[in-house]
């Protein structure tokens, strides 16, 4: 949306004046190079400095109360201390949302409203300041604001609509899903401070490459760059591409720093244990972190056939999880009871056997070292290809 608004006038100008160089500069993402925040529990001002005039769109999401500022694609050159939450805000995140858009999510302690939002030209420099004033409001007023706004989750909607070509060549299709991304960084490494979203992307790229070397297999990535995808979008992309399997990759942190090794998760209503339940709860927060309004699931699944499919899908997912555990055994570290289950929202495709693989824990120094090691990625990718091979042969033997 933003992209088309911005690019069209640029193209027009470039054509009109032949300013090819100028057009190239405009294509670079907006740069946010500075920010400050001041205020108290009643009123807070946020100022963000950009290299050129930003188009922006402010809206609200409830539970918890959040102010969302949507921007065109933006490079955030901010120091963490520039925009540390204070005043009415308890948490501030910013990052890429994909499809040429970025976002700032300001989570509030209590309901707030934006009483002023404006862009001002900086005197003395070529930059522009976006100034947002937030103030505490009553629950009733916040509910009114939510009701009044026309916003219907356009960023996510635009992205879901992107064209994805279904595979039609009879290949066995595998969706490789790098957990987190963009505004949702995931866990942070204890030692290296590396973000889970980059660990999962590097691994996903290696795994997809290795799978694609296998005859009859076509692997693709749900995301191939640092962008945010909501959990339903990940499922949607896999189904649109006609995936036969879905593998979501993660590397989270635990409070217990001595726990290390890989875990394979399948979906279930009831979690197998506390660790699994906590982890699923945290993973399911991804959409909330990114300020995506939670909507009810699409009505396409209210069917007894879907129920039967679900059961069959679940059986296949469990087979895959077992194959993965078998191929990992004696090769890489596994936690106790390495096949666990919980209500992960990203595993809920009714017709695509799905697993979530915790490659290891970034809260453990030894795991962290391995997770960022290209040789280890290669080794584990090879083991996963083996697991897929076993899974496929088993499936054929069962007549499935
Ligand atoms: Zn994760």
């Amino acid at each position: 949306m933003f992209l088309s608004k911005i690019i069209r006038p640029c193209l027009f100008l470039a054509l009109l004046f032949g300013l090819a160089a100028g057009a190239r500069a405009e294509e670079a993402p907006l740069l946010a190079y500075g920010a400050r925040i001041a205020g108290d529990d009643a009123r807070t001002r946020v100022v963000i400095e950009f290299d050129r005039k930003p188009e922006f769109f402010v809206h609200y999401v409830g539970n918890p109360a959040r102010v969302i500022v949507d921007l065109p694609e933006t490079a955030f050159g901010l120091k963490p201390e520039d925009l540390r939450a204070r005043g009415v805000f308890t948490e501030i995140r910013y990052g890429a949302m994909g499809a040429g858009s970025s976002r700032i999510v300001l989570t509030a302690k209590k309901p707030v409203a934006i009483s002023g939002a404006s862009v001002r030209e900086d005197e003395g420099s070529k930059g522009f300041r976006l100034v947002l004033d937030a103030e505490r409001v009553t629950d009733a007023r916040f509910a009114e604001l939510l009701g009044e706004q026309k916003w219907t989750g356009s960023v996510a909607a635009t992205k879901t609509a992107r064209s994805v070509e279904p595979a039609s060549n009879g290949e066995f299709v595998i969706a490789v899903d790098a957990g987190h991304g963009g505004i949702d960084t995931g866990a942070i490494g204890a030692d290296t401070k590396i973000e889970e979203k980059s660990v999962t992307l590097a691994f996903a790229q290696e795994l997809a490459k290795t799978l694609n070397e296998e005859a009859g297999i076509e692997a693709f990535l749900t995301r191939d760059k640092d962008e945010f995808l909501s959990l339903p979008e990940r499922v949607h992309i896999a189904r649109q591409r006609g995936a036969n399997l879905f593998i979501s990759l993660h590397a989270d942190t635990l409070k217990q720093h001595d726990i290390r090794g890989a875990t394979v998760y399948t979906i279930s209503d009831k979690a197998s244990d506390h660790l699994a339940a906590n982890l699923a709860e945290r993973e399911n927060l991804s959409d909330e972190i990114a300020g995506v309004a939670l909507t009810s699931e699409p009505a396409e699944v209210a069917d007894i056939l879907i129920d039967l499919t679900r059961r069959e899908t679940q059986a296949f997912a469990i087979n895959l999880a077992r194959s993965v555990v078998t191929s990992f055994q004696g090769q890489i570290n596994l936690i106790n009871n390495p096949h666990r289950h919980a209500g992960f929202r990203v595993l809920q495709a009714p017709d695509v056997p799905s697993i979530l693989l915790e490659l290891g824990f970034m809260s453990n120094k030894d795991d962290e070292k391995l997770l960022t090691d290209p040789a280890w990625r290669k080794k584990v990718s090879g083991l996963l290809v083996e697991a897929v091979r076993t899974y496929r042969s088993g499936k054929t033997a069962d007549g499935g």
Side-chain angles (χ1 to χ4, degrees):
M1 274 184 89
F2 291 109
L3 195 67
S4 63
K5 255 193 229 158
I6 291 157
I7 275 183
R8 256 184 241 132
C10 290
L11 284 179
F12 175 71
L13 282 177
L15 288 173
L16 199 63
F17 303 113
L19 294 174
R24 258 202 306 278
E26 287 294 310
E27 277 161 20
L30 196 65
L31 174 69
Y33 61 84
R36 52 192 180 273
I37 178 165
D40 53 29
D41 279 1
R43 249 169 251 279
T44 302
R45 170 169 282 192
V46 178
V47 179
I48 302 163
E49 294 170 306
F50 293 93
D51 64 334
R52 53 185 192 271
K53 197 172 182 177
E55 292 221 359
F56 68 97
F57 181 61
V58 175
H59 56 98
Y60 305 97
V61 179
N63 301 315
R66 278 158 291 165
V67 176
I68 314 287
V69 183
D70 278 328
L71 294 161
E73 189 178 356
T74 303
F76 290 94
L78 306 179
K79 292 185 229 88
E81 60 270 25
D82 289 346
L83 210 51
R84 199 156 275 156
R86 57 172 298 168
V88 299
F89 298 115
T90 52
E91 192 179 11
I92 301 176
R93 282 175 186 264
Y94 43 83
M97 293 296 285
S101 69
S102 291
R103 172 173 280 193
I104 304 170
V105 180
L106 305 113
T107 306
K109 253 179 242 170
K110 301 265 174 64
V112 292
I114 295 296
S115 52
S118 58
V119 172
R120 302 170 193 180
E121 198 167 352
D122 265 338
E123 309 88 33
S125 82
K126 274 169 57 192
F128 287 82
R129 276 172 298 153
L130 170 62
V131 181
L132 297 169
D133 287 310
E135 59 181 38
R136 274 281 309 280
V137 291
T138 60
D139 290 351
R141 176 67 191 132
F142 189 72
E144 255 173 47
L145 287 169
L146 284 177
E148 281 165 11
Q149 64 187 3
K150 299 229 162 43
W151 184 78
T152 52
S154 57
V155 170
T158 326
K159 273 201 296 166
T160 306
R162 71 181 169 188
S163 65
V164 276
E165 61 292 353
S168 54
N169 47 4
E171 303 269 278
F172 188 79
V173 180
I174 303 179
V176 178
D177 178 55
H180 310 276
I183 196 168
D184 172 20
T185 52
I188 310 280
D191 236 12
T192 58
K193 304 291 175 239
I194 192 169
E195 292 165 334
E196 184 184 356
K197 65 175 181 180
S198 352
V199 171
T200 59
L201 182 58
F203 192 94
Q205 282 164 335
E206 177 68 33
L207 176 59
K209 194 187 98 200
T210 317
L211 284 166
N212 278 323
E213 284 161 7
E214 189 84 352
I217 288 184
E218 185 197 312
F220 70 91
L221 300 168
T222 53
R223 70 170 175 99
D224 58 6
K225 52 180 179 292
D226 182 20
E227 67 173 340
F228 175 81
L229 288 178
S230 73
L231 300 172
E233 274 172 328
R234 293 167 190 269
V235 176
H236 180 78
I237 292 169
R239 296 186 69 205
Q240 282 248 305
R241 293 278 294 258
N244 298 99
L245 288 180
F246 177 88
I247 302 176
S248 190
L249 301 162
H250 287 262
D252 281 272
T253 51
L254 290 176
K255 284 203 188 84
Q256 308 93 312
H257 291 191
D258 53 325
I259 297 186
R260 62 174 301 199
T263 325
V264 192
Y265 286 97
T266 47
I267 198 169
S268 73
D269 297 339
K270 265 201 182 141
S272 52
D273 56 283
H274 277 302
L275 192 145
N278 289 340
L279 206 67
E281 202 176 292
R282 265 196 286 151
E283 290 301 346
N284 290 347
L285 278 179
S286 175
D287 293 352
E288 188 180 310
I289 285 168
V292 175
L294 294 180
T295 49
S296 44
E297 300 305 322
E300 60 187 303
V301 289
D303 194 308
I304 192 160
L305 272 178
I306 294 281
D307 235 32
L308 288 172
T309 312
R310 248 184 223 290
R311 236 172 289 166
E312 197 188 34
T313 303
Q314 177 65 346
F316 286 138
I318 288 169
N319 279 347
L320 176 64
R322 285 180 183 153
S323 308
V324 171
V325 170
T326 308
S327 89
F328 280 1
Q329 257 154 5
Q331 299 293 320
I332 66 160
N333 284 299
L334 288 161
I335 72 166
N336 289 337
N337 307 316
H339 176 198
R340 301 184 183 217
H341 45 90
F344 291 94
R345 292 186 64 215
V346 77
L347 301 181
Q348 64 184 5
D351 47 1
V352 187
S354 304
I355 61 167
L356 185 144
L357 181 58
E358 284 286 350
L359 295 159
F361 292 103
M362 297 226 292
S363 40
N364 179 280
K365 284 185 182 172
D366 298 315
D367 268 9
E368 190 183 358
K369 214 174 278 166
L370 292 176
L371 285 163
T372 50
D373 175 5
W376 187 82
R377 284 201 285 267
K378 219 179 176 76
K379 176 182 176 181
V380 179
S381 294
L383 296 171
L384 284 167
V385 170
E386 226 171 79
V388 168
R389 243 183 252 146
T390 312
Y391 167 83
R392 291 187 72 190
S393 65
K395 205 172 162 183
T396 313
D398 292 348

